[in-house]
Amino acid sequence: MNIILLGPPGAGKGTQAARLVEKRNMVQLSTGDMLRAARTSGTEMGNMVAAVMDRGDLVTDEIVIGLIREQLESDQGKGGYIFDGFPRTLAQADALGNLLVEMGENLDAVIELQVDDDVLVERIVGRAKEAEAAGQPVRADDNEESLRVRLMAYYKQTSPLIGYYHAKGDLQSVDGLASMDDVATSIASALRKSE
Ligand code: AMP
């Protein structure tokens, strides 16, 4: 089955995707991870991507759709994808729909993780502090200034996808404020309904 995890930065998409990979043997496709890999390439494109990401803005649809297309083409046949942090715009959602049709695959569910903003700020600033304390690299966009831009990008460009997928009958919302285990349980029961 192929699913999308939808939600603002800090909602827990990456954490829950990692659990689904472990439990269901699915393939996680995170455009954020792909872009973090691309930015270290030292190319002009990589540098441009780095500047946009650090500011907290969205990278162009063209770049992101290209990355997803490449992954889907190289992985073809595996199936069982978790789209994490993609799509983030209506154009990306349309492109994903078309790519899946081309591959003869379905989109089985879109899981929205609902969380409120105060918690997001706490989680993200906390994530940066924890990484720092553990001597791990801190994401350049995990600071309050970039986070404000990331949240605005979510509300302006990504949240319309909630209506889009609701209208298609694909949307299921879960409480992202619950504990990690409880969120995982809610996702599992949402997925059972789509199987
Ligand atoms: P994430 O790791 O999903 O929080 O993504 C980190 C950053 O990468 C975002 O703030 C954007 O700058 C960029 N990014 C990730 N996924 C996308 C996407 N689907 N469309 C545009 N930009 C993206």
Side-chain angles (χ1 to χ4, degrees), residues 31-32 35-36 52-53 56-59 64 85-86 88 92 139 141 150:
T31 41
L35 290 166
R36 276 184 286 279
V52 174
M53 287 175 84
D57 284 324
L58 293 188
V59 173
V64 177
F86 177 88
R88 264 175 155 99
Q92 292 177 22
R139 276 176 58 162
D141 58 349
R150 286 159 70 195

Side-chain angles (χ1 to χ4, degrees), residues 91-108:
Q92 292 177 22
D94 281 336
L96 176 61
N98 293 335
L99 278 169
L100 290 172
V101 168
E102 274 172 37
M103 293 167 57
E105 295 270 348
N106 284 325
L107 179 62
D108 298 282

